[in-house]
Amino acid sequence: MSGIRFKKHEMRGMIMCRGIIFDLDGTLYDFFTPSKIALEETWKRAYNDSLVDTYNNEWLFEKQNGEYLWKLIFWDKLYTIKDQKGYQDISKNFLTHVIKEAWPLFSANNCQVLADTWWYSFFDNIKLEPWVIPLLERLLEREISTGLLSNSPRGIGEIKLQVLGLDKYFNSSNIIWAHDVKAPKPSKTPFYILAKNLGIHVNKTLVIGDNYNTDILGAKNADMYYHLYEQGKEDQMIKKIEKHIDKRFT
């Protein structure tokens, strides 16, 4: 069951939370929509630059469940390779490999060009969820510690923060890139490290993330409270958070 969970003594008015740890991808911004746009732009470039031999590769334009095979194969290869190789994020080299596996008709050089197209289109289209900045400002006002815990590698993660304008709120003092500590979520280790860095006890910490298998299980492993973020239910989430941060701390 999703939602913030509290122990009985805390529901009677004791401290609810002194700190909130956020996930990044899929929580503070929508990963899937800009990824779809980037894929469309990548294929459009391949087609417009005549990199696609439509006569000898007609099968790529067949449809399955209403979607072109070129699109379905890309997503299948992307997630299959991520799982097999243990990748936590998408880099240019990773994209080049995925494109070569999904669309073997392209040369290695063309795959690199298309990977660049996907990359720049993705970063041109990522946007913060509209509730993020107002909530972060509210937490600052209430002197609630905030942290960011992500399975993204540091390099790519820092680019995301800059593009999204989140580097104002998150820096080396309140971020854990799980790759740096060699313990990706749902390991409890990065949760413990971040709580220590923030100066808050684990049982006074709330974790907000969109992935049950990483964010929520990780919070459970670390004995922290949690809220499973669902797009479209932001108002419910914010009301719960504000209700509990407005409690008088004792």
Side-chain angles (χ1 to χ4, degrees), residues 2-224:
S2 66
I4 301 174
R5 301 177 64 180
F6 301 102
K7 296 177 182 178
K8 290 182 179 179
H9 71 276
E10 291 175 314
M11 293 179 68
R12 290 198 296 265
M14 298 291 285
I15 296 173
M16 292 299 182
C17 67
R18 285 192 176 276
I20 299 180
I21 293 175
F22 293 95
D23 168 55
L24 177 59
D25 303 299
T27 301
L28 301 185
Y29 80 98
D30 173 19
F31 173 82
F32 190 62
T33 299
S35 297
K36 288 173 60 179
I37 295 172
L39 179 56
E40 295 284 351
E41 289 297 316
T42 300
W43 187 262
K44 181 179 178 181
R45 175 166 186 178
Y47 192 82
N48 289 343
D49 289 357
S50 300
L51 302 181
V52 182
D53 181 350
T54 56
Y55 180 78
N56 291 320
N57 295 280
E58 290 182 355
W59 62 275
L60 285 171
F61 295 89
E62 295 176 4
K63 285 191 174 183
Q64 182 175 314
N65 298 324
E67 289 284 4
Y68 286 113
L69 283 180
W70 61 261
K71 186 180 297 185
L72 294 175
I73 294 172
F74 175 88
W75 290 119
D76 177 67
K77 292 295 183 182
L78 185 145
Y79 287 107
T80 299
I81 295 171
K82 277 172 69 74
D83 291 342
Q84 289 177 343
K85 302 295 184 180
Y87 286 100
Q88 298 296 335
D89 214 324
I90 295 176
S91 66
K92 288 184 184 180
N93 288 338
F94 172 75
L95 284 168
T96 300
H97 181 44
V98 170
I99 290 171
K100 186 61 181 175
E101 289 290 316
W103 308 328
L105 62 156
F106 297 128
S107 68
N109 287 338
N110 285 339
C111 288
Q112 291 178 351
V113 170
L114 295 176
D116 284 345
T117 301
W118 195 101
W119 176 273
Y120 291 115
S121 176
F122 174 79
F123 281 105
D124 281 344
N125 287 284
I126 61 172
K127 296 178 181 178
L128 278 178
E129 296 289 0
W131 55 267
V132 174
I133 297 301
L135 177 59
L136 291 175
E137 289 291 336
R138 173 69 169 158
L139 295 174
L140 282 173
E141 177 188 333
R142 300 297 298 170
E143 298 182 344
I144 303 296
S145 298
T146 57
L148 184 72
L149 175 53
S150 176
N151 277 352
S152 286
R154 174 188 292 271
I156 297 172
E158 289 179 343
I159 294 173
K160 292 175 183 176
L161 294 185
Q162 292 171 5
V163 173
L164 293 168
L166 287 174
D167 47 347
K168 172 185 175 182
Y169 301 94
F170 301 106
N171 52 55
S172 59
S173 66
N174 64 346
I175 298 177
I176 291 293
W177 305 107
H179 274 218
D180 289 355
V181 296
K182 296 180 172 55
K185 298 180 284 186
S187 168
K188 62 186 178 183
T189 300
F191 291 89
Y192 283 163
I193 294 173
L194 185 50
K196 182 178 179 181
N197 291 351
L198 295 174
I200 52 179
H201 197 279
V202 293
N203 65 12
K204 302 295 186 292
T205 306
L206 168 66
V207 175
I208 296 177
D210 71 305
N211 191 312
Y212 181 86
N213 292 325
T214 55
D215 304 312
I216 304 309
L217 287 183
K220 287 183 175 182
N221 290 337
D223 198 28
M224 295 178 176

